[in-house]
């Protein structure tokens, strides 16, 4: 907001805002439109949740990550990288996040579970703004209970920003959810600034190697060094480690050689609408030998 304000200046005419930069003006207008349309989009069924497969080393199904999708009637597909940050700064992430969480848990309970093993994990992204809400823990637990799923099959993907901004509060909320079995994954790991000391005390179950390191793993020695460090770190702390953004089998093999055992990426499947995801997991379970 402050950034935007700096690019704006009150014009000579009253109630007029001039933008120094037309590109900035366009961005601002887009932002306001998205902000205004977001809640309607939710009730009009424009927002959907897609599921991206996670696989184990042996090709078996490990679980899925739930990813929000917005199909706008005129603007077309709007990326969550665009609308989630807007929802965060405008206070709409609570309602949106709660809706996504409920939707993903109900899809799991009503559709996915029938084709999944008992150790299938449904991973759901939560924004740090959601975590900081006073009733975050209660809302998550009551939804899990109401929908009737095993809390141990629910994994919340958080980013380092929550831990950096409010370490004590985040820690405490994670602990109270973990008491009920809910798991935590540290998403985009390696791109933030959380210290190793922070990580040592954090009640997290999994580290996700960010896709920027995965995409460069065969090209850039630093990326592969970082991936290796995350894998070694996870192992020494007794955490699971997932590599996301795998597009090529050579990337998978490189990560496998470094000790990674859980994979996610277009190589296996893109994020899919529920019905297509169900078809995919049915197919994988019938396949002999495992397809990956
Ligand atoms: P993320 O949680 O790190 O999710 C992984 C992103 O990588 C997803 O982008 C996914 O579609 C993409 N991806 C997966 N495999 C590949 C691959 O092989 N290659 C490439 N190039 N990309 C791959 P998506 O769905 O656009 O989501 C972007 C980000 O938006 C997510 O990053 C997450 O930070 C946020 N997001 C998405 N859905 C939600 C949500 O329900 N709640 C919150 N708070 N954030 C969400
Ligand atoms: Mg994620
Ligand atoms: Mg990520
Ligand atoms: Mg992310």
């Amino acid at each position: 907001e402050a950034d935007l304000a700096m690019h704006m200046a009150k014009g000579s005419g009253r109630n007029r805002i001039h933008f120094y930069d037309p590109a900035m003006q366009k961005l601002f207008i887009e932002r306001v439109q998205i902000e205004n349309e977001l809640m309607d989009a939710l009730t009009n069924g424009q927002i959907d949740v897609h599921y991206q497969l996670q696989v184990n080393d042996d090709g078996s199904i490990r679980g899925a990550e739930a990813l929000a999708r917005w199909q706008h009637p005129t603007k077309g597909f709007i990326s969550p990288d665009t609308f989630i940050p807007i929802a965060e700064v405008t206070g709409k992430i609570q309602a949106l996040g709660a809706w996504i969480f409920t939707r993903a848990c109900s899809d799991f309970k009503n559709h996915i579970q029938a084709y999944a093993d008992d150790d299938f994990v449904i991973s759901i992204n939560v924004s740090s703004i959601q975590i900081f809400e006073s009733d975050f823990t209660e809302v998550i637990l009551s939804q899990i209970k109401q929908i009737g799923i095993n809390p141990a099959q629910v994994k919340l993907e958080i980013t380092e920003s929550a831990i950096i901004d409010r370490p004590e509060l985040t820690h405490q909320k994670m602990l109270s959810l973990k008491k009920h079995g809910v798991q935590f994954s540290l998403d985009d790991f390696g791109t933030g600034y959380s210290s190793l000391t922070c990580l040592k005390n954090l009640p997290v179950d999994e580290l996700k190697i960010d896709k920027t390191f995965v995409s460069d793993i065969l090209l850039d020695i630093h990326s592969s060094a970082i991936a290796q460090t995350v894998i070694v770190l996870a192992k020494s702390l007794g955490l699971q480690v997932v590599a996301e953004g795998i597009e090529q089998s050579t990337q998978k093999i490189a990560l496998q050689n470094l000790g990674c055992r859980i994979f996610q990426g277009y190589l296996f499947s893109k994020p899919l609408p529920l019905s297509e995801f169900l078809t995919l997991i049915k197919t994988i379970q019938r396949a002999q030998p495992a397809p990956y």
Side-chain angles (χ1 to χ4, degrees):
E1 309 268 316
D3 260 14
L4 273 171
M6 276 167 49
H7 286 88
M8 295 188 290
K10 281 254 152 88
S12 47
R14 242 150 275 157
N15 304 321
R16 282 189 58 193
I17 292 171
H18 289 283
F19 290 84
Y20 290 125
D21 179 354
M24 193 52 91
Q25 178 172 17
K26 188 167 171 273
L27 214 75
F28 180 77
I29 291 168
E30 251 169 36
R31 213 206 78 164
V32 172
Q33 282 176 344
I34 288 177
E35 176 186 343
N36 289 338
E37 290 174 344
L38 195 54
M39 298 324 279
D40 286 339
L42 208 54
T43 47
N44 293 343
Q46 293 168 22
I47 309 245
D48 196 7
V49 178
H50 285 197
Y51 298 93
Q52 187 178 30
L53 185 73
Q54 294 182 334
V55 297
N56 295 309
D57 212 22
D58 61 1
S60 60
I61 298 167
R62 189 282 177 122
E65 177 175 6
L67 292 157
R69 293 289 176 264
W70 183 357
Q71 192 61 48
H72 190 281
T74 56
K75 293 191 180 76
F77 174 74
I78 303 174
S79 165
D81 276 329
T82 302
F83 70 82
I84 295 286
I86 293 173
E88 287 177 341
V89 298
T90 57
K92 296 190 161 76
I93 193 68
Q94 283 89 348
L96 180 64
W99 186 90
I100 294 166
F101 183 80
T102 305
R103 175 64 184 274
C105 290
S106 330
D107 280 350
F108 175 63
K109 167 79 180 181
N110 300 329
H111 304 283
I112 299 171
Q113 203 170 36
Y115 308 104
D117 293 338
D118 291 343
D119 54 2
F120 185 103
V121 177
I122 179 88
S123 291
I124 303 162
N125 294 284
V126 292
S127 152
S128 48
I129 315 279
Q130 284 173 269
I131 301 175
F132 302 156
E133 275 296 285
S134 57
D135 60 354
F136 175 71
T137 310
E138 290 72 24
V139 169
I140 295 283
L141 289 175
S142 76
Q143 281 308 302
I144 287 176
K145 199 170 171 203
Q146 203 177 314
I147 295 163
I149 59 175
N150 177 5
Q153 288 181 271
V154 176
K155 186 166 270 172
L156 302 181
E157 294 197 5
I158 64 169
T159 56
E160 290 163 274
S161 64
I163 297 137
I164 294 161
D165 294 350
R166 319 234 352 219
E168 261 115 67
L169 182 71
T170 304
H171 192 124
Q172 174 215 317
K173 297 206 175 189
M174 288 172 78
L175 277 181
S176 45
L177 284 166
K178 278 191 67 64
K179 261 201 328 223
H180 292 87
V182 177
Q183 299 188 61
F184 285 90
S185 175
L186 210 45
D187 204 353
D188 307 338
F189 191 72
T191 60
Y193 298 94
S194 65
S195 71
L196 293 180
T197 321
C198 227
L199 193 61
K200 177 188 138 234
N201 298 314
L202 203 71
V204 76
D205 304 275
E206 174 184 287
L207 302 180
K208 269 188 118 167
I209 305 171
D210 190 69
K211 61 176 178 293
T212 54
F213 308 120
V214 172
S215 67
D216 286 352
I217 197 155
L218 299 160
L219 314 167
D220 170 22
I221 183 133
H222 297 116
S223 289
S224 78
I226 291 171
Q228 179 168 25
T229 304
V230 176
I231 294 164
V232 171
L233 184 64
K235 297 228 150 146
S236 59
L237 294 170
L239 308 177
Q240 297 176 309
V241 60
V242 179
E244 71 178 349
I246 298 176
E247 295 183 358
Q248 297 158 13
S249 54
T250 45
Q251 294 167 340
K252 183 201 170 196
I253 292 162
L255 285 151
Q256 227 163 0
N257 290 338
L258 295 175
C260 186
R261 297 288 174 262
I262 309 167
F263 310 99
Q264 179 183 344
Y266 296 171
L267 174 66
F268 311 100
S269 170
K270 290 204 168 187
L272 299 172
L274 177 66
S275 62
E276 289 173 40
F277 180 73
L278 294 176
T279 306
L280 174 72
I281 59 176
K282 283 185 236 176
T283 310
I284 294 173
Q285 269 167 351
R286 274 198 302 263
Q288 265 327 318
Y292 302 118

